[in-house]
Amino acid sequence: AVVSTQSTGEAEKLFHDFKLGEYVEIMGGQDKGKHAKILSLSLETSRCIVRLPSEEMIDLAIINIKKGSREEYLRLRDQANESVSEDVFANKPCKKVVSGVADPAKSKHSNGNSNQKAWLHQDLKVRVVCENFLGGKYYCKKLDIVDIIDPWTCVCRSEKGKLIENVPQSILETVIPKSKGSLVMLLSKSNQFELAELEEKDSKSSSVICVTLIEKDVVRASYDEVCQFVGDAIR
């Protein structure tokens, strides 16, 4: 679909009207009328990632959101949490959860396992770990994800600017930046697609400590649960 110059200009204006962590209301599509919280904004694509009160993540055009109510979002989130808690209590024994991330000691830093959930997201920097992909031309090379075809397949851009289509998640692993303060995206279920700043990196335990941009929460995550983010972000 061709995006008009007017729509592009409107989206760019709206981009500067919103900020990470802001509460919004969705104005179009099947989720019209729902309240949400902004997790990421991209000026390049004029899109945003928002979280619904049910914890579901949605990718939206910026022109499809407007200022919303924090109070209404929190009220709906509490309702959703109560509903989930009742279902869990009624159907299976409770299990105490100490942390929302996996045990770093068990991490192999390999997100290509078929048992893993889909974690691909635009503007992530990833590394190819398959020797047979395109004859090994990109083995151990870093790529930037520029588009998502489906939850398990993406389009990447090489360091030389070449676009590579139909790249499967199964041949990729996350990239962990070296410098403190670098932007990363969290991939664990409890913080999925939230942006954060890298604070510490522990290669012995294959884990990092980072601080989320929105809530300023300190999160420890395995290498598999965090990835370098190269897109736009308002800090």
Side-chain angles (χ1 to χ4, degrees), residues 2-206:
V2 178
V3 180
S4 68
T5 303
Q6 182 178 358
S7 296
T8 303
E10 182 182 356
E12 185 171 347
K13 178 181 180 300
L14 286 171
F15 176 85
H16 297 289
D17 289 341
F18 294 107
K19 61 183 179 180
L20 295 181
E22 192 162 7
Y23 297 90
V24 297
E25 183 178 340
I26 300 172
M27 297 191 297
Q30 63 181 12
D31 296 297
K32 182 178 179 180
K34 292 183 178 180
H35 290 261
K37 183 177 183 179
I38 297 177
L39 298 183
S40 68
L41 291 161
S42 173
L43 178 59
E44 182 179 356
T45 62
S46 299
R47 300 187 71 81
C48 62
I49 299 290
V50 300
R51 173 184 282 155
L52 298 178
S54 63
E55 300 298 325
E56 180 185 356
M57 312 289 182
I58 299 179
D59 185 339
L60 295 169
I62 294 176
I63 58 174
N64 281 334
I65 60 175
K66 65 178 181 179
K67 302 287 185 178
S69 165
R70 177 179 183 273
E71 291 73 20
E72 182 65 9
Y73 175 88
L74 295 178
R75 184 184 70 80
L76 294 171
R77 187 188 66 180
D78 289 342
Q79 281 186 355
N81 289 340
E82 287 175 6
S83 176
V84 171
S85 297
E86 289 172 0
D87 290 342
V88 171
F89 182 78
N91 293 296
K92 62 181 181 180
C94 295
K95 180 180 180 180
K96 185 177 180 181
V97 179
V98 178
S99 171
V101 299
D103 182 356
K106 297 180 180 179
S107 171
K108 296 182 180 179
H109 190 29
S110 175
N111 278 315
N113 192 313
S114 60
N115 293 324
Q116 296 281 340
K117 63 179 177 61
W119 54 268
L120 298 177
H121 191 286
Q122 190 173 14
D123 293 325
L124 292 183
K125 185 175 287 292
V126 294
R127 181 182 290 105
V128 176
V129 293
C130 177
E131 295 184 57
N132 298 324
F133 180 65
L134 295 180
K137 181 178 180 180
Y138 296 103
Y139 180 56
C140 287
K141 300 291 185 181
K142 295 178 182 178
L143 308 174
D144 292 345
I145 298 178
V146 297
D147 196 12
I148 303 298
I149 298 174
D150 62 47
W152 305 95
T153 316
C154 61
V155 178
C156 294
R157 181 174 54 236
S158 71
E159 293 178 329
K160 293 184 178 180
K162 181 177 176 59
L163 289 179
I164 309 164
E165 297 185 355
N166 299 314
V167 182
Q169 175 181 294
S170 59
I171 69 160
L172 301 173
E173 72 172 8
T174 57
V175 169
I176 311 301
K178 297 179 179 179
S179 305
K180 179 180 178 180
S182 296
L183 273 179
V184 295
M185 179 170 280
L186 300 174
L187 306 175
S188 61
K189 183 178 180 180
S190 57
N191 301 96
Q192 190 171 25
F193 300 144
E194 283 196 49
L195 294 178
E197 287 188 353
L198 180 67
E199 284 294 314
E200 296 181 23
K201 179 178 175 180
D202 186 347
S203 57
K204 290 184 179 179
S205 64
S206 296

